[in-house]
Amino acid sequence: MSVSMQFNHKRLQSDFNALATIGATAEGGVNRPALSPAHLEARAWYAAQVKQAGLALQIDGAGNHSALLRSPNPSAPTLLLGSHLDSVPEGGRYDGALGVVAALEVLRSIQEAGLNLPVHLEAIDFTDEEGTLVGFIGSGALAGTLTPGDLQNPRGGREALLAGLTRAGLTEDGLFTARRDPATLAGYLELHIEQGPWLYDSGVDIGVVSGIVGIASFRLAFSGRANHAGTTPMAARRDAGLGAAAFILAARQLVLDNFPGCVANVGALRLEPGAFNIIPGRAELALECRAVDPAELDRLQTSLLERAQREAESFGLGLEVSALGQHAPAPMSQLAQQAIQEAAAELGLSSQSMPSGAGHDAQNLAPLCPTGMVFIPSVDGISHSPHETSRWDDCINGANVLLGAALRLAGSSDCA
Ligand code: GLV
Ligand code: MN
Ligand code: MN
């Protein structure tokens, strides 16, 4: 089987550009939170491309949208290629979208070349990768790691989840029907922008992902006493905002001092009642922390929560902690990493092994089947921003590596 086939660059670019108009923002990015009208429009666009290509369209109970190119062997396992069409609020055009259009282009190219593979090929767009609702709904449902409990107190709030499911014609029970038997999966490959500065700064063409960080998220609520902002003496206040502010600064220092290579982020903060002249009685914040090593992720979250408790006590506040889900760190398979590295070398591209600090659907697939990720440079390392950009030549390189790696994995004896 030839592994040096390349694909139709113009068609890939025109797909990418068409997709970027859906949910486009004035700043040059896209706003397609999971199951929003814009996200559903992007999915309808994808479904139309799949049908136009003469590929079978499959939509599962979790809303995952797939193009299928079947092997002549009906009992062959399936090699998944894909990413996601949802975005963070006010996000960029490349995160997720590039991986989906490239996966579709791989299927079209193989179909047009008339290649018969020993695996079914599937280009999949996963639901809610970005966690604006729950986080990894689609890949978690497919892998069987999504639980009914995850839907009760999700990151984006239960009301938003129920509204999104209704808008998309999905149901809570239906999500769980998307589960697949791992024996039916030959592997999973995902092309993605790096979303950090390393490849761009070092001039390396392709990142071969070695593993993906684990992510734990929490909602913390500091509770004090709302009171008159003008008449209450400074020393007599139980200001919930001070607990939150002190914790945010302390969390940064704690990670810098004790957890090299890890990160923590407070990405949302709400003070209540929220007025100029009332001392905040309650401060709610959204905390996320990430580590590549499972034991370190455990230590990191324990230390952060202990620190939050100490800050609450020092300002005379109460503290409620809600755990909002945890995604385990995931090493990528050696087989997939080798396929990606060889595909890059064959194309004359430089490559480097590197971890991913961003979460990806690949982390849910990794325990089930040989899983790998191809990274390309992000200009200035900017992502989750309308200014997120990758050079088009790098996008083409990444898509060609995805094609080469898919053909290698499809032909490998462990896979077929
Ligand atoms: C997904 O992009 C994440 O890392 O939050
Ligand atoms: Mn992504
Ligand atoms: Mn993202």
Side-chain angles (χ1 to χ4, degrees), residues 84 88 95 129-130 195 384:
H84 58 96
V88 290
D95 180 354
E129 190 274 348
E130 295 290 6
Q195 306 184 273
H384 281 188

Side-chain angles (χ1 to χ4, degrees), residues 215-246:
I215 306 175
S217 34
F218 302 89
R219 188 168 295 120
L220 304 189
F222 292 88
S223 52
R225 190 172 54 219
N227 206 342
H228 197 293
T231 59
T232 315
M234 290 304 278
R237 301 180 184 218
R238 286 176 54 218
D239 181 339
L242 294 179

Side-chain angles (χ1 to χ4, degrees), residues 67 69 76-82 106-107 110 117 119-124 184-189 369-370 402-403 405-411 415:
L69 178 60
T78 298
L79 176 59
L80 295 165
L81 313 174
V106 168
L107 265 61
I110 290 174
L117 296 183
V119 294
H120 302 305
L121 281 184
E122 178 172 340
I124 187 163
T184 66
L185 300 176
Y188 174 64
L189 294 174
C369 58
L402 179 73
L403 172 60
L407 291 172
R408 280 182 163 73
L409 213 49
C415 191

Side-chain angles (χ1 to χ4, degrees), residues 277-301:
N277 54 1
I278 308 176
I279 296 163
R282 185 176 169 89
E284 264 192 24
L285 57 81
L287 169 68
E288 197 196 70
C289 59
R290 304 185 182 211
V292 176
D293 178 72
E296 195 157 43
L297 182 62
D298 280 351
R299 281 198 305 279
L300 173 60
Q301 51 187 302

